[in-house]
Amino acid sequence: MATEATSWQKEQVSRAYVHVLATQGGYTICDWNVDKDGVDMTLRTRGLMVDVQLKCTQSPRVVRGGYSFDLDIETYDKLRDPDRSAPGHLALLIVPPDVGRWVTHHPESIVLACHGYWASLHGAGEARSKGTTAISLPEHQPLTSKSIGAMFDTARQLLSPAGREVN
């Protein structure tokens, strides 16, 4: 029988997931105690930073080509703000419906039975609704240590003179 996870359990497994990926990629992590700016974690490498808002679900909304998540407008506006010092991203972690299946222990490993996707919201357009806005998390953007590198590519472009002209 599936057990519905509480909000804090989803938050903690999301943090653990990103910690593992960042560690593998050699990135440093800053966990924020207060989510005042729509950011749960900031990742750093060689002076570049990316901000990440974490969300987790046991029942993802599947759409053609990926997933969709309804993000509150306040957080959306904070993450899309082009004046941020670090580009804002949404990361959605999808976990099995049964909490007992999230982690599998083996003699030589621990397996997290979850997968994640990400979307860059930096500079995104204004939401058309007032409560939430649907964020598309394409299947081709899995959250991996390699994709975190792509987030830093965006940050690097924003710092370059050509990136400043675009924004």
Side-chain angles (χ1 to χ4, degrees), residues 4-24:
E4 181 67 28
T6 63
S7 177
W8 72 265
Q9 287 174 306
K10 291 176 184 175
E11 180 179 342
Q12 292 304 310
V13 75
S14 299
R15 289 181 183 275
Y17 186 86
V18 174
H19 271 260
V20 168
L21 298 179
T23 300
Q24 183 183 38

Side-chain angles (χ1 to χ4, degrees), residues 134-155:
I135 306 298
S136 174
L137 298 123
E139 218 169 35
H140 70 277
Q141 285 189 184
L143 184 59
T144 63
S145 58
K146 186 176 179 180
S147 68
I148 291 173
M151 294 178 191
F152 283 112
D153 290 342
T154 300

Side-chain angles (χ1 to χ4, degrees), residues 34 44 53 61 108 118 131 140:
V34 177
R44 290 190 63 134
Q53 171 67 42
R61 191 168 67 228
E108 296 181 12
W118 66 281
H140 70 277

Side-chain angles (χ1 to χ4, degrees), residues 103-133:
V103 179
T104 306
H105 299 264
H106 300 281
E108 296 181 12
S109 65
I110 292 177
V111 176
L112 292 177
C114 48
H115 53 111
Y117 299 88
W118 66 281
S120 175
L121 300 182
H122 185 86
E126 191 170 321
R128 289 185 231 152
S129 61
K130 294 190 186 251
T132 62
T133 188

Side-chain angles (χ1 to χ4, degrees), residues 52-87:
V52 181
Q53 171 67 42
L54 303 170
K55 297 295 180 185
C56 180
T57 184
Q58 292 172 276
S59 51
R61 191 168 67 228
V62 179
V63 295
R64 191 171 71 180
Y67 300 92
S68 180
F69 183 83
D70 290 336
L71 184 64
D72 65 275
I73 297 299
E74 182 180 352
T75 302
Y76 176 76
D77 284 343
K78 289 175 180 175
L79 292 172
R80 73 181 189 92
D81 186 345
D83 292 332
R84 301 177 64 91
S85 61

